[in-house]
Amino acid sequence: QVQLVESGGGLVQAGGSLRLSCAASGSAFSILTMGWYRQTPGKQRELVADISSGGRTNYADSVKGRFTISRDNAKNTVLLQMNSLIPEDSAVYYCNANGWINYLYVNYWGQGTQVTVSS
């Protein structure tokens, strides 16, 4: 079992920056793909960025060049640095961990953290 706890959300003006952090419990962190997703009311949850166990990153087109995802396997944390924020980035951001542990596919979610960007 992996538990994920997000922090770092809040209110920021357009053009500002926020850094989200996700702390994971358990020893399987390093072998899992870690990602950040976001969701606004009435819309499906969408991928913002993810990072594989080997460090390969993937970003949604809407955040490329503005957001950076990173992971620290020694600390069991994944970060999302968000720069040049725009109001459209406002959403609840969720941390995700997924992958294969002992031939079993796992998919875990955090509780979410609110990001609000004012214009």
Side-chain angles (χ1 to χ4, degrees), residues 1-4 23-32 73 75-76 101:
Q1 185 80 3
V2 174
Q3 291 186 326
L4 306 173
S25 66
S27 59
F29 176 85
S30 63
I31 67 172
L32 299 176
N73 290 337
K75 296 181 179 180
N76 277 17
I101 300 176

Side-chain angles (χ1 to χ4, degrees), residues 6-27:
E6 302 104 332
S7 61
L11 173 65
V12 64
Q13 288 189 331
S17 299
L18 281 175
R19 188 175 74 170
L20 303 183
S21 178
C22 175
S25 66
S27 59

Side-chain angles (χ1 to χ4, degrees), residues 27-50:
S27 59
F29 176 85
S30 63
I31 67 172
L32 299 176
T33 293
M34 301 299 299
W36 288 96
Y37 290 70
R38 66 188 181 187
Q39 189 171 23
T40 54
K43 292 190 176 181
Q44 285 192 329
R45 193 171 296 187
E46 64 175 5
L47 174 69
V48 176
D50 63 18

